[in-house]
Amino acid sequence: MIPSIHKQGGSTFGLLNYLYGKGTREEHVDPHLVASFDHMAPDPGRDTNAAMEDLQQLLDQPLHLLAADQRPKTHVWHCSVRAAPDDPTLTDEQWGEIARRMVAATGIDPGDGAGCRWAAVRHADDHIHIIATLVREDGRRPDHHRSGKRAQAEARLIETDYDLHRVNPGDGTAAKRPTSAERHKAERQGRVTTPREELRATVRRAVAGAQGEAEFFGRLAAAGVLIRKRTAPSGDLLGYKVALLDDRNQDLEPVFYAGSTLAPDLSLPRIRKRWTTPQPGAERDAHIDASAGPDPRWTGPAGARRRATTAMWQALLVIDQGTDGQIAAHPSAAGEVLDALAITSADHTRRELREAARVFERATRSHTQAERGHDHSLRQAARDLIHSGPALGHGEDGATTAMAIDMLFFLVTATAHWHAKKNHAQQAAAARQTAQHLRTAYRAAAYNPLANLHRRGQQLAQPRLRSQAAHVWQAMPELAEQILGEPGWPALAATLTDTQAAGHNPASLLHEAAARRELDTADSISDVLAWRLIRMADLPADSAQMLASTRPASSSRHVPGALADRSQQRGRPR
């Protein structure tokens, strides 16, 4: 149940004309009254003897009892209440009761016998509109301060009482939703999203990894949007607006949106904070994962993905050990990394990564004051990803993409847990939804790398397999039986063999990898440990070349049929 308090207006008849009209797309079907302040208001929708002027005069009567100089300029209060798509269709009587509860909760008609005059109109199955005159019967103005929050609180009670879809309570940090006019205009033009939403995503991607105004505005221009800057008389830049080339108003002028109206953190002052806050010593010194420093031989997109994976691991340590202020700085920086991955990754993962970035945007803001600077490593990682250029969908680029998504899944899940602990319901829900998109993207990215590892593991001699199994029993005896029975065990065995060849003690490194983070939520512990070992030992993420050099000639062109089924099951993050 979603109530929306609209901007106050000055024409009761104008709003009634819209509510009883056909709508901009003739979507208003059978408009009629479901409730009113006195239960006896005329209904121009179903009563042929009633006119909209009759209802308008009845609602505005308290207004005209005041002297002309005492009448409020904007006296029309308008609230729409919409059910969720999966809610059952409510009856007129139920909508009427909901309207009465809303006007009582918001202070429009609190039940003292002298409230405002109001009427509730239904012209669709899933919502109603409530119109009221903001003058009480006793001539006073109603106490409707913070009516939006009061309506939301009442909606949560209504959801429980009517067994409707439960909407997570908001906290005022969400980006502004497109208006109904914007949605209808987008539908008429055949757009998938509204210009507001498209511009928000474009600006967010332009921010990802940028280090200053010149780079930020350069990216916006390269994205093909129109930019209008607001400057002070001194020449200092105060703000900006953006518009799509093909989004015009009735006068054929571009429709501009200020950054602050796209999202609270996309105003120019808020963006500048990302560029000007120094990196604190705590992140430089206390949270460095020294064992995971990437080898200088990894360059280009693959190297950027390895460095991003390390930065995300450091961010996980902050979320585990930091203060709320330090933790709150990381979601927006993680969003930049996600945007950068979506921009630079190959086609088979890009769609899900972009959808993940769109959903995660809601999880990047809360009322917890962020201590900027602690997110420096993540923002630098986003910049590296952008400047390294597009990654191939195969080879080392593709495999390190899977590695980065694997770690990003951990980071997003940890963010969801923190938001839930702080009672940030909408942010936690957005982070959990993001994790589902990352699962899908991971499966696509990890399929080939894990399949290659699996093949190599299947080709290991039995003595070598028994040796690697002994390392598992030594490092983690409580999970050894489960790991050895997983479809992903051959891939982990091949990875342990590679760590041994690189000069590491497999049992010691495996014990350290297992201790780094919980494994209880892993779908495949073998896959989790394989990625951790590859990162910690700085091994090649793609073992196709190793496979080619070790594969027997007789099997060089044969992939067992069962492998595809098993690897699809294995290719999942936690």
Side-chain angles (χ1 to χ4, degrees), residues 82-132:
R82 185 176 298 273
D86 55 348
D87 282 338
T89 300
L90 302 176
T91 65
D92 283 351
E93 290 72 20
Q94 289 172 319
W95 276 120
E97 178 58 26
I98 289 171
R100 283 185 280 274
R101 291 179 62 166
M102 280 293 172
V103 294
T106 54
I108 297 298
D109 188 3
D112 58 0
C116 298
R117 295 189 176 188
W118 59 272
V121 178
R122 181 182 188 183
H123 55 211
D125 284 343
D126 63 347
H127 69 280
I128 59 170
H129 292 263
I130 307 172
I131 178 174

Side-chain angles (χ1 to χ4, degrees), residues 62 120 128 182 207 237 266-267 284 343 354 384-385 395 430 546:
I128 59 170
E182 290 172 352
V207 171
L237 184 61
L266 293 182
S267 67
R284 285 198 312 267
I343 293 169
R354 282 193 172 182
D384 285 351
L385 288 167
M546 291 176 150

Side-chain angles (χ1 to χ4, degrees), residues 7-24:
K7 185 178 180 180
Q8 292 177 201
S11 173
T12 301
F13 184 83
L15 181 54
L16 287 174
N17 190 52
Y18 165 74
L19 297 180
Y20 279 99
K22 294 182 178 181
T24 56

Side-chain angles (χ1 to χ4, degrees), residues 215-515:
E215 185 176 2
F216 169 59
F217 287 114
R219 290 187 188 176
L220 283 180
V225 301
L226 299 174
I227 306 169
R228 181 180 291 172
K229 299 180 181 179
R230 183 167 60 90
T231 57
S234 62
D236 293 336
L237 184 61
L238 300 178
Y240 73 97
K241 295 181 178 181
V242 288
L244 297 178
L245 284 169
D246 58 348
D247 181 31
R248 306 272 169 163
N249 59 20
Q250 59 185 4
D251 298 322
L252 300 182
E253 297 174 339
V255 180
F256 280 90
Y257 295 83
S260 59
T261 64
L262 295 176
D265 56 344
L266 293 182
S267 67
L268 187 59
R270 295 280 294 274
I271 291 175
R272 280 172 171 161
K273 287 184 179 181
R274 311 186 191 201
W275 302 328
T276 58
T277 307
Q279 178 187 5
E283 188 181 64
R284 285 198 312 267
D285 303 327
H287 297 298
I288 296 298
D289 184 12
S291 66
D295 193 297
R297 60 195 165 120
W298 307 120
T299 59
R305 278 152 173 72
R306 285 179 177 271
R307 292 189 293 275
T309 301
T310 298
M312 287 185 277
W313 172 251
Q314 294 171 8
L316 277 168
L317 295 178
V318 176
I319 292 177
D320 284 345
Q321 305 168 13
T323 64
D324 283 340
Q326 294 169 351
I327 296 169
H330 284 77
S332 64
E336 289 191 30
V337 173
L338 184 47
D339 278 317
L341 271 177
I343 293 169
T344 59
S345 293
D347 289 344
H348 67 298
T349 55
R350 187 179 303 147
R351 179 178 178 180
E352 285 295 336
L353 288 174
R354 282 193 172 182
E355 188 63 16
R358 184 192 68 79
V359 173
F360 191 66
E361 188 261 351
R362 182 63 190 95
T364 60
R365 294 182 301 273
S366 71
H367 284 304
T368 303
Q369 185 66 36
E371 296 178 15
R372 294 296 180 192
H374 292 275
D375 50 3
H376 173 82
S377 293
L378 283 179
R379 297 194 188 282
Q380 182 60 47
R383 179 176 178 78
D384 285 351
L385 288 167
I386 295 291
H387 285 270
S388 69
L392 300 174
H394 54 81
E396 194 68 19
D397 284 5
T400 51
T401 297
M403 179 190 296
I405 297 174
D406 175 77
M407 187 61 73
L408 186 56
F409 180 93
F410 263 132
L411 182 57
V412 167
T413 301
T415 301
H417 292 333
W418 178 74
H419 277 312
K421 185 172 67 174
K422 303 303 293 183
N423 295 318
H424 303 159
Q426 289 191 357
Q427 292 88 335
R432 287 191 291 267
Q433 188 179 352
T434 302
Q436 295 306 313
H437 289 293
L438 290 176
R439 280 184 186 273
T440 304
Y442 172 83
R443 289 169 184 161
Y447 180 85
N448 284 333
L450 288 178
N452 290 336
L453 274 174
H454 191 277
R455 293 187 188 99
R456 290 186 52 228
Q458 286 186 318
Q459 295 166 11
L460 292 176
Q462 286 301 315
R464 178 59 60 89
L465 276 174
R466 287 194 294 270
S467 174
Q468 303 306 351
H471 291 142
V472 175
W473 279 105
Q474 179 183 347
M476 27 194 333
E478 70 285 355
L479 293 173
E481 185 173 355
Q482 178 181 344
I483 292 171
L484 297 178
E486 288 184 342
W489 159 238
L492 178 58
T495 307
L496 288 169
T497 301
D498 292 341
T499 63
Q500 194 168 20
H504 297 279
N505 183 311
S508 297
L509 200 63
L510 187 61
H511 178 76
E512 183 181 351

